[in-house]
C-alpha cells in the first residue's frame, strides 16, 4: 500500500494477557518510529476490579492488573471501553481476542474503519460456520473487506512481556503489508520471520499442521511451547490430577482468560464427523470425548493402541 505522509494510527482490538503484551511492544515501538502515530488505542472489554473500572486502572496506573499483572504498559497505550470509538479511523488493526468473539466484533466495527486499513490477527483457532471450516482471517477479510496478515508463534504472553527472547512468524498475502507489521511488532527480543503464506501460518497456529512453514515458529516450536507451558496444557494437567471439569478449572485457574483448545477440538470433531472420518483420527476423537463426553483420560492410550494403522494415516494426513 502507498503510505501516506500522515503517521499510521494503530488500534489493538483486545486486551487479555496476549493483547496487553503486544500493546506493550507496539506502544514502545511507535515512540521510536515516525511512520506510526504515537498514541496506540487498545479496546478493553470493561470490567470492574475492586470497584474501579479496568480502563481507568490501565490509563492511570498503566498496568492491566487483571490479565497481565506485574508489567507496566507504556503511557501512550490508551484503554478505550467503546469498541467503535477505539477503531475509529485506525489505519492498522491488531486483532487479539478469543476466537469465539470475532463475528460480533467484526459486525460492530465494519464501516468504522477506512477501506485502506490493514489488519493482522493473532487469534488462534478456526471457525465452524454453516458453510464449514473457516480461518479467522477469512472471516475478518470477508466482513471488513481489508487485507489481513497473521501472526502465530511459540509465544507465551508473560515471557514476551518480560522481554525474554522469543520468535514468531507473520504470514501475509501481500509481502509489503507483512513487512509493515514486522516493523510495528519486532523488537531485539521478539524476532519475526515474514512468509508470504498467511493460510498455512494460521493453520499451524490453530491445528499444528504443516509444509515448510511448519518449521517456522508458528509450527513445531508453537506445538512444543503449547505442550510444555501453555494454558491448555496447565488446565489439562489439572483435569487429570483433580478430576474437576474443564469449566471449573478454567474459572479457578485462568482469572477470566479463555481456553481455546477444547473449543478447537469440538470444531475439528464436527468436521471429521461430517466427513465420516472419525475412525481415521483416533487422537482427535479421544481428545474430544475426554473434553465433552466424560471419557476417562486414562483411556486415551488404549484408544490409540487399538488403531495402529490409523495412527500412520493421521500423521501422513496432518503432519
Amino acid at each position: 500500500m502507498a503510505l501516506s505522509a500522515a503517521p499510521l494510527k494503530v488500534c489493538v482490538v483486545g486486551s487479555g494477557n496476549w493483547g496487553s503484551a503486544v500493546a506493550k511492544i507496539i506502544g514502545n515501538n511507535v515512540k521510536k518510529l515516525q511512520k506510526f502515530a504515537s498514541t496506540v488505542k487498545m479496546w478493553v472489554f470493561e470490567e470492574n476490579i475492586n470497584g474501579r473500572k479496568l480502563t481507568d486502572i490501565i490509563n492511570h496506573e498503566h498496568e492491566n492488573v487483571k490479565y497481565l499483572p506485574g508489567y507496566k504498559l507504556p503511557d501512550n497505550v490508551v484503554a478505550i471501553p467503546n469498541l467503535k470509538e477505539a477503531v475509529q479511523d485506525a489505519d492498522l488493526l491488531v486483532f487479539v481476542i478469543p476466537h469465539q468473539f470475532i463475528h460480533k466484533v467484526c459486525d460492530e466495527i465494519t464501516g468504522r474503519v477506512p477501506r485502506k486499513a490493514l489488519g493482522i490477527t493473532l487469534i488462534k483457532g478456526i471457525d465452524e460456520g454453516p458453510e464449514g471450516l473457516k480461518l479467522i482471517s477469512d472471516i475478518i477479510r470477508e466482513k471488513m473487506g481489508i487485507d489481513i496478515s497473521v501472526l502465530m508463534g511459540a509465544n507465551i504472553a508473560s515471557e514476551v512481556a518480560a522481554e525474554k527472547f522469543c520468535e514468531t512468524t507473520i504470514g501475509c498475502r501481500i509481502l509489503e503489508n507483512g513487512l509493515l507489521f514486522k516493523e510495528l511488532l519486532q523488537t531485539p527480543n521478539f524476532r519475526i520471520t515474514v512468509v508470504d503464506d498467511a493460510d498455512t501460518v494460521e493453520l499451524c497456529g490453530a491445528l499444528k499442521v504443516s509444509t515448510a512453514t511448519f518449521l517456522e515458529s508458528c509450527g513445531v516450536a508453537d506445538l512444543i511451547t503449547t505442550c510444555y507451558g501453555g494454558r491448555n496444557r496447565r488446565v489439562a494437567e489439572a483435569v487429570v490430577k483433580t478430576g474437576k471439569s474443564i469449566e471449573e478449572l478454567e474459572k479457578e485457574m485462568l482469572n477470566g482468560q479463555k481456553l481455546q483448545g477444547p473449543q478447537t477440538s469440538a470444531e475439528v470433531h464436527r468436521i471429521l464427523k461430517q466427513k465420516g472420518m472419525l475412525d481415521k483420527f483416533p487422537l482427535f476423537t479421544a481428545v474430544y470425548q475426554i473434553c465433552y463426553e466424560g471419557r476417562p483420560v486414562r483411556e486415551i492410550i488404549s484408544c490409540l493402541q487399538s488403531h495402529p494403522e490409523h495412527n500412520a494415516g493421521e500423521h501422513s494426513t496432518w503432519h
Side-chain angles (χ1 to χ4, degrees), residues 101-123:
F101 303 134
I102 196 64
H103 285 277
K104 189 171 180 294
V105 163
C106 285
D107 288 341
E108 204 169 319
I109 65 181
T110 296
R112 295 264 163 182
V113 173
R115 300 294 289 177
K116 66 175 180 22
L118 303 174
I120 189 165
T121 168
L122 284 66
I123 300 169

Side-chain angles (χ1 to χ4, degrees), residues 60-199:
H60 289 100
E61 266 103 81
H62 306 294
E63 183 182 344
N64 188 334
V65 291
K66 178 157 187 187
Y67 295 108
L68 195 69
Y71 296 99
K72 285 291 176 196
L73 298 175
D75 55 10
N76 58 331
V77 172
V78 179
I80 298 176
N82 181 303
L83 176 57
K84 290 175 179 163
E85 186 189 327
V87 301
Q88 190 78 44
D89 300 327
D91 301 294
L92 302 175
L93 295 164
V94 180
F95 291 93
V96 55
I97 52 176
H99 79 278
Q100 53 268 45
F101 303 134
I102 196 64
H103 285 277
K104 189 171 180 294
V105 163
C106 285
D107 288 341
E108 204 169 319
I109 65 181
T110 296
R112 295 264 163 182
V113 173
R115 300 294 289 177
K116 66 175 180 22
L118 303 174
I120 189 165
T121 168
L122 284 66
I123 300 169
K124 291 183 180 176
I126 45 175
D127 186 70
E128 167 70 358
E131 308 100 61
L133 182 63
K134 269 221 168 118
L135 295 171
I136 302 296
S137 60
D138 284 332
I139 293 166
I140 305 171
R141 258 184 220 105
E142 286 167 22
K143 284 184 177 280
M144 298 190 62
I146 62 174
D147 183 65
I148 298 288
S149 300
V150 175
L151 182 146
M152 298 282 154
N155 311 129
I156 289 174
S158 57
E159 293 184 357
V160 173
E163 296 176 21
K164 293 183 179 173
F165 183 84
C166 303
E167 55 180 7
T168 202
T169 313
I170 287 179
C172 55
R173 293 185 173 180
I174 299 166
L175 195 57
E176 67 177 305
N177 294 349
L179 292 170
L180 179 65
F181 280 111
K182 175 177 178 171
E183 225 178 316
L184 180 69
L185 289 158
Q186 181 161 271
T187 73
N189 285 325
F190 188 61
R191 306 303 296 169
I192 298 174
T193 305
V194 179
V195 293
D196 52 356
D197 178 1
D199 294 355

Side-chain angles (χ1 to χ4, degrees), residues 12 30 70 146 160 194 200 248 282 293 309:
V12 180
V30 300
I146 62 174
V160 173
V194 179
T200 310
E248 279 177 272
E293 294 179 351
E309 74 287 359

Side-chain angles (χ1 to χ4, degrees), residues 52 77 160 179 202 210 273 276 286 295:
R52 287 183 70 192
V77 172
V160 173
L179 292 170
E202 189 166 0
S210 80
K273 193 171 179 183
R295 185 168 188 169

Side-chain angles (χ1 to χ4, degrees), residues 210-228:
S210 80
T211 61
T213 307
F214 186 59
L215 298 174
E216 294 291 349
S217 179
C218 61
V220 70
D222 178 37
L223 177 59
I224 293 164
T225 303
T226 300
C227 293
Y228 274 97

